[in-house]
Amino acid sequence: MLFERARQVFPGGVNSPARALKHLPSPLVAKAASGPYLYTDRGRLVDYCMAFGAIILGHAHPRVKRAVEEQLERGWIYALLTEQEVEFAEAIRRHMPSVEKMRIVNTGTEATMNAIRLARGYTKRDVIIKFDGNFHGSHDYVLVKAGSGAATWGIPTSAGVPQDVVKLTVVAPYNDVDAFLKAVREVGDRLAAVIAEPVAGNYGLIIPDAEFLKALREETKRVGALLIFDEVITGFRLGLGGAQGRFGIRPDLTTLGKVVGGGFPIGIFGGRAEVMDLIAPSGPVYNAGTYNAHPVSVAAGLAVLKELETGEPYRIADEAAGRLAKGIEDIAGRLGFDVVVKQISSMFQFYFKKGDVKTPQDVRESNEKMYLKLHEIALRHGVYLTPSQFEVNFTSATHTREVVEETLAALEKAFQQLKT
Ligand code: PLP
């Protein structure tokens, strides 16, 4: 069996923990992907993970494929400036005006790591505040969890992260203005930056109150710290302007990834020109990378942006997520399950619980076991929901009405079986 071989060569048999699908006897093995479908060792599945949000046009989109093929014809790496990356950056800035200047790197992890380093370099301060349940990638500054207090000086979430590093990261509750203000007071004049997912997509889906985001903006400004919006998921998914456009908030720095690379490795950090000019070679904050602004990722990203600019992909993907959210609510209600469904644009998630979901604590109170059981049953009916209660389901421009109907019919059967 492939998993046995994989276990001999990869820790846990996979190359990223979420792929382990530990609630199943063995991980899914992908063979191909096209449109809304994944072709796997368990057959054809309607995909709602969409590479954890990296894909918005659908898998193997012909225009993206063509752009990549054209790039390959011209060679695929030069480690020099290209016209294409300038065009790409200009398009990003046009849609996201807070990103006046940017640096194109390879992953969201690199983007947040560099944005934090830059904020520290700019403010000459060292402490950052992050939020419980927000995820910013797998580097030491942010692999930090909350302790038991309201706002806590960090505890590493990973072995190997030095206590001395995470003691510079304070963790505050998400979507709680009072607790945030208290954390800012506690940190005082050492606060370099506040980093937040403006819509949280790594602890299920948590849509914060507009007042919370407003408080982040006003308070950071007041104390001379920078506000970093981590839009690795939301950038170009919640519309061309991202979450910042939607909520009308201008952060100092923004991080992007996923959608903006069309499924190829990418990360971007950018923001106020005056701050970005501190990045090497124009300033003293170091960032460099052999693969920075990789021509293949940039070609794919540019092709994605051109499609998104027509508005059509958003129309289809957002409508699909809306219909699925409503459909799941209906099915669960009819069959007597207490389920909360949350949706924004082409992101949705549902929780087995009563009441509402506004904070990470609400997510923790939902019945994760039920979600995983449903996930396993849905797979047998040809639907690959996002593989954890703590992730988000994503739709794409290929999740047409027919695909949504097919999914809801499968989920109806899955919920029925869950009951028995
Ligand atoms: N920031 C957010 C909000 C993310 O969701 C992720 C990845 O899921 C990252 C950062 C890290 O991005 P990458 O996996 O490209 O390193």
Side-chain angles (χ1 to χ4, degrees):
M1 192 173 141
L2 187 68
F3 187 39
E4 273 316 309
R5 278 170 60 202
R7 268 212 284 238
Q8 303 303 313
V9 286
F10 305 128
V14 289
N15 275 296
S16 194
R19 297 177 201 174
L21 306 178
K22 279 189 170 166
H23 61 292
L24 305 177
S26 65
L28 288 182
V29 179
K31 298 176 189 299
S34 175
Y37 299 115
L38 276 175
Y39 297 86
T40 73
D41 58 341
R42 326 278 150 105
R44 191 192 81 170
L45 304 170
V46 185
D47 187 8
Y48 288 100
C49 181
M50 298 314 272
F52 295 101
I55 298 292
I56 194 166
L57 297 181
H59 287 292
H61 189 278
R63 294 241 165 82
V64 178
K65 186 162 172 263
R66 197 177 328 129
V68 168
E69 284 167 353
E70 284 168 9
Q71 180 57 53
L72 293 177
E73 288 300 318
R74 300 191 294 270
W76 42 88
I77 186 160
Y78 322 115
L80 290 169
L81 178 68
T82 63
E83 184 173 348
Q84 184 178 242
E85 77 204 50
V86 176
E87 192 190 336
F88 181 52
E90 285 169 348
I92 290 169
R93 188 175 63 174
R94 195 165 61 245
H95 297 303
M96 218 174 239
S98 78
V99 182
E100 294 166 355
K101 285 193 177 179
M102 67 202 80
R103 168 68 47 94
I104 306 172
V105 291
N106 298 283
T107 61
T109 296
E110 280 175 71
T112 64
M113 182 178 76
N114 283 284
I116 291 168
R117 180 183 298 149
L118 173 59
R120 286 173 166 155
Y122 177 78
T123 58
K124 302 194 171 59
R125 301 172 179 180
D126 55 2
V127 175
I128 60 164
I129 292 178
K130 83 172 278 290
F131 294 96
D132 174 28
N134 279 194
F135 177 70
H136 305 295
S138 49
H139 60 83
D140 289 6
Y141 305 158
V142 290
L143 282 179
V144 181
K145 67 180 168 198
S148 51
T152 46
W153 298 77
I155 303 167
T157 24
S158 162
V161 174
Q163 190 63 51
D164 275 355
V165 173
V166 298
K167 76 177 189 213
L168 298 176
T169 304
V170 167
V171 183
Y174 189 67
N175 203 17
D176 181 336
V177 174
D178 291 341
F180 166 64
L181 296 179
K182 195 161 155 250
V184 173
R185 276 199 301 278
E186 196 172 311
V187 176
D189 62 7
R190 288 179 66 188
L191 186 64
V194 172
I195 183 164
E197 286 183 77
V199 167
N202 284 289
Y203 215 82
L205 173 62
I206 305 175
I207 304 165
D209 302 323
E211 293 70 54
F212 175 68
L213 298 178
K214 215 165 135 232
L216 301 186
R217 177 62 288 176
E218 285 171 1
E219 197 62 7
T220 42
K221 196 165 187 179
R222 193 182 67 76
V223 301
L226 298 189
L227 176 60
I228 306 171
F229 268 2
D230 182 356
E231 297 227 40
V232 165
I233 287 181
T234 52
F236 293 93
R237 185 165 281 279
L238 302 192
L240 290 167
Q244 55 194 270
R246 190 152 179 146
F247 288 94
I249 294 197
R250 194 179 172 108
D252 301 293
L253 295 175
T254 297
T255 53
L256 298 168
K258 299 201 191 241
V259 165
V260 88
F264 290 85
I266 204 159
I268 297 178
F269 65 102
R272 277 165 50 197
E274 167 218 4
V275 180
M276 286 304 295
D277 279 336
L278 290 189
I279 292 288
S282 67
V285 178
Y286 200 64
N287 165 266
T290 303
Y291 301 110
N292 278 5
H294 194 285
V296 173
S297 301
V298 170
L302 200 50
V304 170
L305 293 194
K306 283 182 180 158
E307 284 298 305
L308 291 177
E309 281 166 0
T310 66
E312 192 60 7
Y314 290 125
R315 196 188 60 70
I316 300 169
D318 294 5
E319 184 187 313
R323 291 167 76 88
L324 285 158
K326 171 98 189 35
I328 291 168
E329 215 163 59
D330 286 351
I331 294 168
R334 258 190 289 113
L335 295 175
F337 289 99
D338 288 319
V339 162
V340 177
V341 189
K342 289 281 157 188
Q343 182 241 333
I344 183 167
S345 296
S346 54
M347 302 166 70
F348 70 95
Q349 184 54 304
F350 55 97
Y351 310 84
F352 287 92
K353 78 182 290 288
K354 285 192 169 108
D356 200 357
V357 169
K358 307 267 296 175
T359 66
Q361 184 54 30
D362 295 333
V363 179
R364 284 189 281 272
E365 284 165 10
S366 67
N367 189 334
E368 191 196 358
K369 278 207 181 106
M370 289 275 267
Y371 182 90
L372 292 176
K373 219 164 143 193
L374 182 84
H375 184 270
E376 186 172 7
I377 302 170
L379 265 184
R380 284 189 243 127
H381 292 287
V383 174
Y384 179 47
L385 293 169
T386 200
S388 156
Q389 179 72 91
F390 296 97
E391 305 281 354
V392 166
N393 287 285
F394 296 98
T395 53
S396 77
T398 53
H399 287 80
T400 57
R401 283 184 175 215
E402 296 72 53
V403 175
V404 169
E405 290 316 311
E406 174 191 337
T407 302
L408 287 173
L411 290 182
E412 171 106 37
K413 288 187 205 143
F415 270 96
Q416 260 160 8
Q417 267 172 274
L418 185 64
K419 235 183 141 166
T420 55

